Amino acid sequence: GIQVEQSPPDLILQEGANSTLRCNFSDSVNNLQWFHQNPWGQLINLFYIPSGTKQNGRLSATTVATERYSLLYISSSQTTDSGVYFCAVEQDSGYSTLTFGKGTMLLVSP
Amino acid sequence: GAVVSQHPSRVICKSGTSVKIECRSLDFQATTMFWYRQFPKKSLMLMATSNEGSKATYEQGVEKDKFLINHASLTLSTLTVTSAHPEDSSFYICSARAAGGAGSYEQYFGPGTRLTVT
């Protein structure tokens, strides 16, 4: 099956700093989603971005499908951004399920 | 829009009993729902894909007789953990994909159910 690698596995930031999270995947995809899992376990949909660039407030994401990677940018980080960020992809093969990366654990300190 | 609910949010049961978890899409119809399991500090693992009106498709290694899935309507799927044992304790999360989503494959996730088997 498709492989999904996220980096870095852990990240510690001072409040106000910017960061870039990366997601590499091993095959062509028809779905790529970024999630933030809050401390209560809820997965918050950040972006549905199988290709292209999107922005939502302080967050933006870019997926370069031909090179099989996606980037999540967090600007002016806040303590509420802390949590685990997951990238998940769905292979473009008719087998319609999401494969999750192992996540990036982000801690933003005041 | 695109809200998915789960009930209960937390359940404690005794070993040998069965527990049912409900997953509902509140403001859209979902032909396909998915059930995931997450262990502490780990990623989500897909357990099964549930299609409305048909049998669920289970991932390799998931016991279909232990984890019963029913997708009775376009807004409701249930997961029943039968004869639960302490090793079934976990965080169970469902997701739903909108029906007829015009080329969109986006999934929306419920808040999860924390199961503890004593």
Side-chain angles (χ1 to χ4, degrees):
Chain A
I2 194 167
Q3 305 298 312
V4 183
E5 293 184 2
Q6 289 186 244
S7 60
D10 301 278
L11 184 59
I12 300 175
L13 298 175
Q14 285 280 346
E15 198 168 24
N18 303 328
S19 63
T20 301
L21 281 56
R22 187 177 179 102
C23 173
N24 292 335
F25 44 96
S26 61
D27 207 339
S28 56
V29 299
N30 57 21
N31 180 6
L32 188 146
Q33 293 183 243
W34 282 98
F35 301 93
H36 175 210
Q37 188 169 36
N38 67 23
W40 298 272
Q42 171 79 63
L43 279 169
I44 310 297
N45 284 42
L46 297 178
F47 294 103
Y48 168 70
I49 188 166
S51 64
T53 297
K54 291 185 178 180
Q55 181 160 4
N56 184 2
R58 295 182 296 104
L59 303 181
S60 64
T62 295
T63 297
V64 183
T66 53
E67 297 187 22
R68 299 181 183 168
Y69 73 89
S70 183
L71 302 174
L72 176 69
Y73 304 96
I74 305 174
S75 64
S76 303
S77 58
Q78 301 176 359
T79 56
T80 51
D81 294 332
S82 296
V84 183
Y85 289 80
F86 287 107
C87 165
V89 304
E90 183 171 332
Q91 202 166 350
D92 187 11
S93 67
Y95 186 60
S96 302
T97 62
L98 276 178
T99 299
F100 279 75
K102 293 185 177 181
T104 292
M105 169 73 83
L106 174 64
L107 176 63
V108 181
S109 57
Chain B
V3 179
V4 176
S5 70
Q6 272 185 250
H7 178 80
S9 59
R10 186 180 296 268
V11 58
I12 301 172
C13 71
K14 291 189 175 180
S15 189
T17 62
S18 295
V19 173
K20 180 185 284 188
I21 303 170
E22 292 186 349
C23 176
R24 293 181 184 273
S25 56
L26 298 185
D27 51 2
F28 66 99
Q29 293 186 326
T31 49
T32 307
M33 289 184 169
F34 305 85
W35 288 95
Y36 297 83
R37 185 172 180 178
Q38 186 179 31
F39 292 102
K41 300 189 184 301
K42 298 291 186 182
S43 187
L44 279 74
M45 288 178 49
L46 179 67
M47 297 175 65
T49 302
S50 166
N51 291 297
E52 186 264 339
S54 63
K55 290 184 179 180
T57 302
Y58 290 81
E59 295 299 299
Q60 193 171 7
V62 177
E63 299 176 59
K64 61 181 181 181
D65 294 330
K66 180 167 188 62
F67 298 100
L68 301 179
I69 292 171
N70 183 273
H71 193 156
S73 76
L74 285 172
T75 59
L76 173 64
S77 177
T78 60
L79 168 68
T80 301
V81 183
T82 62
S83 186
H85 287 95
E87 57 266 30
D88 298 324
S89 299
S90 192
F91 192 55
Y92 293 88
I93 310 174
C94 74
S95 72
R97 173 180 287 148
S104 171
Y105 294 87
E106 189 168 6
Q107 291 186 30
Y108 302 92
F109 283 75
T113 296
R114 192 162 303 281
L115 170 64
T116 303
V117 185
T118 61

